[in-house]
Amino acid sequence: MTVVIIILLIAAIALFVLSFMQKDESKQIETELEEVASQLMHENYELKKRVSLLEKAMNLSREPVEQADSEAEAETEAENVSPKMKSLLKKQVITLYTSGISVDEIVEQVTLPKEEIEQTIEEYLEH
């Protein structure tokens, strides 16, 4: 019985020492994952930077005539919207307004005409 215990103790010590001698592959995999995550974050940053530059370029190249055309398109789109959708859009306008976004920026985000957006905000402020 004591011989079995001694053999098991020696085997445990041998396996313990052997475990320290083996290469730790998980650290290598973890390092590779960190590198990939870093590359993805960098690429994401670069893409966001490019998108913001394109947005700025589009806003700079816009002319007042184009803005009038887009407002007319928004009005025709607003006329074709169902009452439920109009209600949702008005709630979105109120949410955007209460979060501090200007009326002009709301006009760009919502498909309602500027007059209707201003009317919705006025109704909200009255109540």
Side-chain angles (χ1 to χ4, degrees):
M1 176 82 161
T2 57
V3 173
V4 173
I5 293 175
I6 293 173
I7 292 173
L8 288 175
L9 182 61
I10 291 172
I13 292 172
L15 289 174
F16 185 71
V17 170
L18 183 64
S19 70
F20 282 109
M21 292 181 171
Q22 287 186 333
K23 292 182 179 179
D24 192 13
E25 293 179 15
S26 65
K27 288 193 179 198
Q28 181 184 3
I29 293 172
E30 185 177 323
T31 306
E32 289 176 7
L33 281 174
E34 287 177 0
E35 288 176 11
V36 169
S38 174
Q39 289 174 351
L40 286 175
M41 287 176 56
H42 181 70
E43 289 175 7
N44 190 17
Y45 170 75
E46 290 294 325
L47 286 173
K48 285 183 179 181
K49 198 164 115 179
R50 288 180 185 172
V51 166
S52 67
L53 288 174
L54 287 173
E55 287 175 345
K56 287 179 183 177
M58 286 178 60
N59 285 337
L60 291 178
S61 67
R62 268 184 153 178
E63 295 179 10
V65 174
E66 292 175 354
Q67 289 178 351
D69 289 342
S70 65
E71 288 176 5
E73 289 175 8
E75 288 177 12
T76 56
E77 287 177 9
E79 292 172 1
N80 297 334
V81 175
S82 69
K84 285 184 180 181
M85 189 66 176
K86 215 172 225 189
S87 172
L88 288 173
L89 288 172
K90 287 183 178 184
K91 287 179 183 178
Q92 183 182 9
V93 167
I94 292 169
T95 304
L96 291 170
Y97 180 76
T98 55
S99 64
I101 296 177
S102 70
V103 175
D104 293 329
E105 291 173 343
I106 294 173
V107 169
E108 292 176 8
Q109 295 181 16
V110 181
T111 58
L112 294 174
K114 186 173 183 175
E115 295 78 24
E116 192 167 346
I117 291 173
E118 290 172 345
Q119 181 184 4
T120 303
I121 293 172
E122 287 175 12
E123 289 173 3
Y124 171 74
L125 292 175
E126 288 175 1
H127 296 174

